[in-house]
Amino acid sequence: MSTVSYYTAEGLKKLREELDYLKSVMRPKASADIAEARDKGDLSENAEYDAAKEAQGMLEMRIAKLEDVHSNARLIDETHLDVSKVLVLSNVKIKNQTNGMEMKYTLVAESEADLKTGKISVTSPIGKGLLGKSVGEFAEITVPNGVLKFEILEISRD
């Protein structure tokens, strides 16, 4: 049974592009690799053929997984999101109460998380701890190395 995944328009577009690339470019390439290896002789002792078949199997599994994710993907309608609380797609400015450091994150679906660009998953410990909070509230978040306390300074949407 598949679970529903929520995506931004950008994230859903990337998912579709990857799926299209695997189907239109990589699948024909895998078939060509198998045909080329088959032409090299006895299949019972052909390691190149076995490797090409294995690669094709892995590709087909990846395609099936992405098709499943895509069929259960839901687009997040940003116009109906409450801007007074931290929700998915919120831009949140927080202040660490221990060291005074301020950080800004965007909460996104797990599949779109990228810490380098400041996008954290709503299912991560920090994401879960911030969800539902309002400006001025404090979030105590348990992380692997202890408890962090953050103050919510600002909530916005792009």
Side-chain angles (χ1 to χ4, degrees), residues 106-122:
T106 302
L107 273 69
V108 295
E110 187 173 353
S111 57
E112 297 181 53
D114 181 11
L115 195 55
K116 286 183 254 175
T117 60
K119 294 179 178 180
I120 60 171
S121 168
V122 292

Side-chain angles (χ1 to χ4, degrees), residues 9-28:
E10 176 187 343
L12 194 55
K13 182 179 178 230
K14 284 181 183 177
L15 179 67
R16 283 187 191 129
E17 287 172 352
E18 182 179 1
L19 189 54
D20 289 344
Y21 174 76
L22 291 177
K23 285 179 167 182
S24 63
V25 176
M26 296 306 292
R27 188 180 267 167

Side-chain angles (χ1 to χ4, degrees), residues 48-69:
E48 191 175 332
Y49 176 78
D50 291 338
K53 287 294 283 182
E54 177 73 18
Q56 182 190 37
M58 298 298 283
L59 175 66
E60 291 302 325
M61 281 181 17
R62 178 75 178 140
I63 288 172
K65 170 93 171 107
L66 286 177
E67 284 177 334
D68 184 49
V69 168

Side-chain angles (χ1 to χ4, degrees), residues 67-144:
E67 284 177 334
D68 184 49
V69 168
H70 185 264
S71 68
N72 292 298
R74 302 294 180 264
L75 188 62
I76 298 169
D77 184 1
E78 298 178 52
T79 60
H80 292 90
L81 297 178
D82 183 4
V83 294
S84 66
K85 294 188 182 296
V86 177
L87 301 171
V88 70
L89 299 181
S90 293
N91 295 313
V92 185
K93 186 175 182 181
I94 57 176
K95 182 177 183 178
N96 186 327
Q97 295 300 293
T98 307
N99 61 14
M101 190 171 153
E102 292 184 6
M103 297 156 282
K104 191 166 189 168
Y105 294 116
T106 302
L107 273 69
V108 295
E110 187 173 353
S111 57
E112 297 181 53
D114 181 11
L115 195 55
K116 286 183 254 175
T117 60
K119 294 179 178 180
I120 60 171
S121 168
V122 292
T123 59
S124 69
I126 293 176
K128 284 180 184 176
L130 295 175
L131 281 176
K133 302 286 187 218
S134 300
V135 173
E137 286 190 79
F138 290 89
E140 288 191 19
I141 301 166
T142 304
V143 293

Side-chain angles (χ1 to χ4, degrees), residues 30-42:
S31 295
D33 290 347
I34 290 171
E36 182 181 321
R38 188 181 306 123
D39 292 341
K40 293 189 177 176
D42 184 11

